[in-house]
Amino acid sequence: MTPGRSTGTDAEAESPQYAGQYLLEAQLGSGGMGVVHLARSASGLKLAVKVVHAEFAQDPEFRGRFRQEVGAARRVSGAFTAPVVDADPDAGRPWMATLFIPGPTLSEYVKRNGALPLARLRQLMAGLAEALRDIHRAGVVHRDLKPSNVLLAEDGPKVIDFGISRPADSELRTETGKLIGTPPFMAPEQFRRPRDVGPAADVFALGSVIVHAATGSGPFDSDSPYLVAYQVVHEEADLTGVPRELAPLVARCLAKEPEDRPTPDELMAELRSLSASYDTQAFIPEQRTPEQSSGPAEDELPTHRRLGPAAPDSAVTTPGSAASGTRPRKPRKQGRPRSRTAWRRWATAVGAAAVVLALGAGAVLLAGTGETEASAGQERAQRFRAWDVELSARGAEASGMPRCAYAGRTLYCTRPGVLAAAVDPLDGDVTWARPDTGGRAGGDVQPPVLAGGLLHVVSEGSRRLVALDPETGRTVWSQDIARYDGRIAHVGGAVLLTGPDSTVTALDAATGERKWRHRVAGLGRPVFQSYGERVAYAVDADGAGTRVTAVDPENGDVRWQRRLAGALSLVGAREGVLWFTSTSASYADTDAVVRYDATRDAQSRVALRFPVAGAQAAVARDTVYLLGADGSLTAVDTGASEQRWRLETSVSFPSAPVVAGKRLYFGAGDGRVIAVDAVEGALVGQTEARPGAARDAVVSALPLPVAADGKVFAGAPDGVLFAEDGGAATRW
């Protein structure tokens, strides 16, 4: 049961494993100066840990700048920033740990959803003014306030990244002639006299940020940074599209001379006077939905059914029992009218994991059962109707999106608070359900895995791997997995657990008994992957290339080992043929797809016309489909060594793609499932949005849709599990 997101394949993503005492769990993103990882404190507090690139760790000037960044971040209160928890700027690889803040950046939000309405703009402007007042009171000038450095948290905007900030008493000065910042959001004095930049420069940047939030572009826009610099210094700002209520105040922020700009306190006072209904409640990103109508008629609203709790220990609740707490549910009507927006306005409400866009080449392969004409015809004969059901457990709080797997014509799902549930894929009836009695650990759960004839699920609260009877839901065996830190892989009939000392323990998936336990020759601390074969693959990328190791899960013996060129990430394997994505050394984007035939020791490489950031992948036959963090979808035929097509879906931070027959499916953060013609690269349809009551909640990692037997199943942020007819995607 491998993690749902890859942490990247370059050397920076694989090393180091620790920053001080903190185990680095996953890569959240990579910037020019360092990599940001997800970690936890001893008490379980989620942290974002920034680790400096090795090449900069040897630069005394950079170390001084990083030490200044840590000092600047510590000086502010933390109410409007990401508070510093710990740091070591003198370590071999300097690092800083801040509180993990779930929420998208303003840049990501505007890209997904478009301009903010007036009320939200006013709240954002007030929140940023408060943040700047707090930062300036600490004697710090940020100097790089921009949309990507503003996190939209539940309790208001947070200003992050003090990498080029400067305390007023700092002795580290900007070098003569060296401009540091982001041109579209820099003040004129940052170009004219960078050594004398003061707090008013941050106010100028605030004005530019508000213009971006109101229009989707800055007040000075050009493809050339030199032209932008000229516009900032000499030309008037373009405020077209800024609401007239805010335009005069924004124009004052963008005054050419620092003394003509308002202070943060003056900004807040004027914002309060703009409207008697000035709303001071926290800014929470508003999700734009594809439906603009007043909503469905009352008799068309879906009715959700809750799953009843199981008795203590391994007892199971079934819908027919008195304790189940279920109620009748009517199927959703077919063909109900719904309005649609253009594809370019699709939006998601995903959570950016912390500070920066994740640029690793994460990849997933899902072997779809195939959406054949025969299966589609069979389902139509059975008059399949779309359904939905809310997965929850009475007596235990349940939240988050359901994650499912399909096996033996049954849908098995899990969700925080619900250990597992067996669902009839035809009508959504729940055969049995188990609550997670181990307590809530928070975060996302891993999808179930059917191995050794049993259903394997992870109790997030107790951190145990639990093997259930798929027919009844009763526990057969369980294993404490806390020490393995998520390094769990199911391969054939074995469960491989990699410990912190690099020792691998293999359990029999059917009985839980140990099959073998030792270190695998030639491997450090491996992360195993498997794609339906009885082979475990470990991939280790370093500066010299990528080492690929095939391991026999029955005894731990190494079947073969190869070193391939480039930084590669495994995305699929079938009958001795492996597919990889290749990551560029300079930008950590996917720049090529590699096909390697282990039986013939033959390798081919297909370069992409345009690199893909944050790529996730699915493999079908010889075609690799790459879905980027920006919604770009690329099909690469490795058999013909050519890129077949590229499609811009405009869905930011989607789930990994799933291929079934001639269709490709992926999920969006607001609960929609998007269908694409995998042959032609054309959009086919999308389901309705299901953001739920908490429509502004963020989602850190989206579950994969499940495509099987002509149907598509997916979990939504409102906790609903739903099913649609894959053959009717054009009518979704």
Side-chain angles (χ1 to χ4, degrees):
M1 201 175 294
T2 56
R5 292 274 185 175
S6 170
T7 58
T9 60
D10 56 26
E12 296 291 341
E14 295 294 330
S15 176
Q17 296 180 9
Y18 285 86
Q21 61 178 321
Y22 304 108
L23 176 65
L24 306 180
E25 299 180 353
Q27 181 179 324
L28 299 177
S30 178
M33 298 301 180
V35 179
V36 180
H37 302 265
L38 176 67
R40 292 180 187 269
S41 68
S43 64
L45 191 68
K46 283 188 175 182
L47 305 175
V49 181
K50 181 177 181 179
V51 181
V52 171
H53 288 313
E55 61 183 294
F56 295 112
Q58 309 306 317
D59 184 352
E61 180 186 348
F62 181 84
R63 277 186 177 271
R65 186 181 300 167
F66 185 81
R67 188 177 293 106
Q68 181 172 286
E69 176 182 358
V70 173
R74 278 176 164 162
R75 291 170 75 141
V76 298
S77 70
F80 308 99
T81 62
V84 177
V85 177
D86 201 356
D88 189 357
D90 297 317
R93 294 279 297 279
W95 58 270
M96 176 174 62
T98 62
L99 187 66
F100 173 92
I101 299 177
T105 67
L106 176 62
S107 176
E108 294 156 359
Y109 181 82
V110 171
K111 183 176 181 180
R112 293 193 304 266
N113 305 314
L116 274 65
L118 175 61
R120 298 309 188 195
L121 283 171
R122 198 159 45 222
Q123 290 171 341
L124 174 65
M125 196 170 187
L128 291 179
E130 284 186 301
L132 289 183
R133 179 182 63 178
D134 186 65
I135 293 169
H136 295 164
R137 279 177 175 175
V140 175
V141 180
H142 191 282
R143 299 202 305 168
D144 197 25
L145 183 66
K146 56 186 177 182
S148 60
N149 282 342
V150 176
L151 280 175
L152 301 181
E154 289 186 354
D155 58 347
K158 307 290 184 182
V159 175
I160 59 174
D161 197 351
F162 288 77
I164 64 171
S165 62
R166 193 185 71 217
D169 56 356
S170 171
E171 294 182 359
L172 184 66
R173 313 296 287 182
T174 304
E175 294 179 14
T176 302
K178 180 183 291 186
L179 296 178
I180 300 180
T182 306
F185 302 94
M186 291 169 64
E189 60 267 30
Q190 288 180 275
F191 295 102
R192 296 183 300 204
R193 45 184 186 275
R195 294 175 61 90
D196 300 320
V197 170
D202 288 344
V203 175
F204 187 98
L206 184 152
S208 297
V209 167
I210 296 302
V211 174
H212 179 86
T215 67
S217 59
F220 310 97
D221 263 357
S222 173
D223 293 334
S224 167
Y226 303 100
L227 183 55
V228 168
Y230 180 87
Q231 292 172 341
V232 169
V233 174
H234 299 287
E235 296 184 359
E236 293 300 317
D238 182 3
L239 301 185
T240 304
V242 177
R244 57 181 177 82
E245 295 89 342
L246 293 179
L249 188 56
V250 172
R252 287 184 57 199
C253 293
L254 296 173
K256 299 299 183 186
E257 299 302 325
E259 58 270 22
D260 295 334
R261 300 170 202 152
T263 65
D265 281 317
E266 291 171 342
L267 278 175
M268 288 185 286
E270 292 201 30
L271 284 168
R272 291 190 182 94
S273 66
L274 283 178
S275 172
S277 61
Y278 173 68
D279 190 357
T280 59
Q281 66 182 349
F283 172 83
I284 300 177
E286 180 177 344
Q287 173 65 45
R288 178 181 295 175
T289 65
E291 295 197 31
Q292 304 297 329
S293 63
S294 59
E298 183 176 351
D299 65 343
E300 292 181 330
L301 291 173
T303 304
H304 306 313
R305 175 172 43 163
R306 297 183 178 273
L307 305 183
D313 195 21
S314 61
V316 180
T317 300
T318 59
S321 64
S324 68
T326 62
R327 56 187 174 86
R329 171 187 47 81
K330 57 188 177 183
R332 197 181 65 215
K333 292 186 177 181
Q334 299 299 296
R336 64 190 246 198
R338 71 179 68 146
S339 62
R340 291 186 181 261
T341 60
W343 294 107
R344 63 182 174 84
R345 296 179 61 191
W346 289 0
T348 61
V350 302
V355 181
V356 291
L357 172 67
L359 296 178
V364 178
L365 170 77
L366 218 73
T369 58
E371 191 178 45
T372 63
E373 291 296 325
S375 64
Q378 180 182 8
E379 295 308 328
R380 283 193 292 270
Q382 294 177 341
R383 295 182 180 178
F384 169 78
R385 308 184 90 187
W387 54 261
D388 48 38
V389 60
E390 184 178 354
L391 296 180
S392 61
R394 191 176 58 205
E397 183 183 356
S399 63
M401 302 175 73
R403 284 163 162 75
C404 304
Y406 187 90
R409 295 193 177 276
T410 301
L411 193 66
Y412 298 100
C413 302
T414 185
R415 181 189 181 197
V418 179
L419 180 65
V423 181
D424 188 325
L426 291 178
D427 55 17
D429 285 341
V430 179
T431 306
W432 56 261
R434 285 279 304 274
D436 190 351
T437 57
R440 294 279 309 282
D444 298 309
V445 296
Q446 301 178 53
V449 174
L450 198 70
L454 301 178
L455 186 70
H456 290 222
V457 292
V458 172
S459 171
E460 293 297 317
S462 62
R463 297 306 298 162
R464 298 189 69 84
L465 176 64
V466 184
L468 308 176
D469 183 331
E471 295 295 326
T472 64
R474 298 188 181 277
T475 300
V476 177
W477 61 266
S478 68
Q479 169 72 37
D480 187 347
I481 58 172
R483 69 184 300 267
Y484 299 108
D485 189 37
R487 293 177 179 259
I488 306 170
H490 288 77
V491 186
V495 183
L496 304 183
L497 310 174
T498 304
D501 60 353
S502 300
T503 299
V504 180
T505 301
L507 305 180
D508 188 308
T511 65
E513 297 179 356
R514 182 190 296 178
K515 298 168 72 72
W516 53 271
R517 184 176 186 272
H518 57 72
R519 292 190 178 186
V520 178
L523 296 181
R525 194 179 178 197
V527 175
F528 292 107
Q529 298 170 256
S530 178
Y531 298 93
E533 298 182 303
R534 303 184 71 84
V535 181
Y537 297 103
V539 178
D540 182 19
D542 54 38
T546 300
R547 179 176 57 186
V548 184
T549 306
V551 177
D552 188 332
E554 293 300 314
N555 52 29
D557 292 344
V558 174
R559 293 187 181 181
W560 55 263
Q561 191 172 83
R562 303 282 192 276
R563 177 169 287 278
L564 306 178
L568 306 181
S569 178
L570 182 63
V571 299
R574 186 180 66 251
E575 298 178 353
V577 177
L578 289 76
W579 290 269
F580 302 86
T581 54
S582 174
T583 303
S584 63
S586 54
Y587 297 103
D589 294 345
T590 297
D591 59 3
V593 174
V594 174
R595 183 185 190 273
Y596 176 68
D597 189 334
T599 59
R600 299 189 299 114
D601 193 20
Q603 177 181 346
S604 61
R605 178 186 179 92
V606 184
L608 301 180
R609 297 170 193 161
F610 303 100
V612 179
Q616 300 181 87
V619 182
R621 297 181 178 86
D622 256 346
T623 301
V624 178
Y625 298 89
L626 302 173
L627 184 56
D630 60 355
S632 64
L633 182 59
T634 306
V636 180
D637 188 337
T638 61
S641 296
E642 65 177 7
Q643 180 175 314
R644 288 170 47 195
W645 50 260
R646 178 183 170 96
L647 174 69
E648 297 295 340
T649 69
S650 300
V651 177
S652 297
F653 296 103
S655 74
V658 175
V659 180
K662 296 182 179 180
R663 292 278 169 81
L664 180 145
Y665 307 96
F666 63 90
D670 58 3
R672 287 171 297 126
V673 172
I674 292 88
V676 175
D677 187 316
V679 178
E680 302 296 333
L683 294 164
V684 176
Q686 65 171 331
T687 63
E688 63 182 357
R690 296 171 178 267
R695 60 189 309 111
D696 297 318
V698 295
V699 181
S700 59
L702 296 179
L704 287 79
V706 176
D709 291 341
K711 297 175 286 293
V712 181
F713 311 93
D718 60 1
V720 168
L721 171 68
F722 65 95
E724 295 281 358
D725 184 350
T730 55
R731 300 192 299 275
W732 285 355

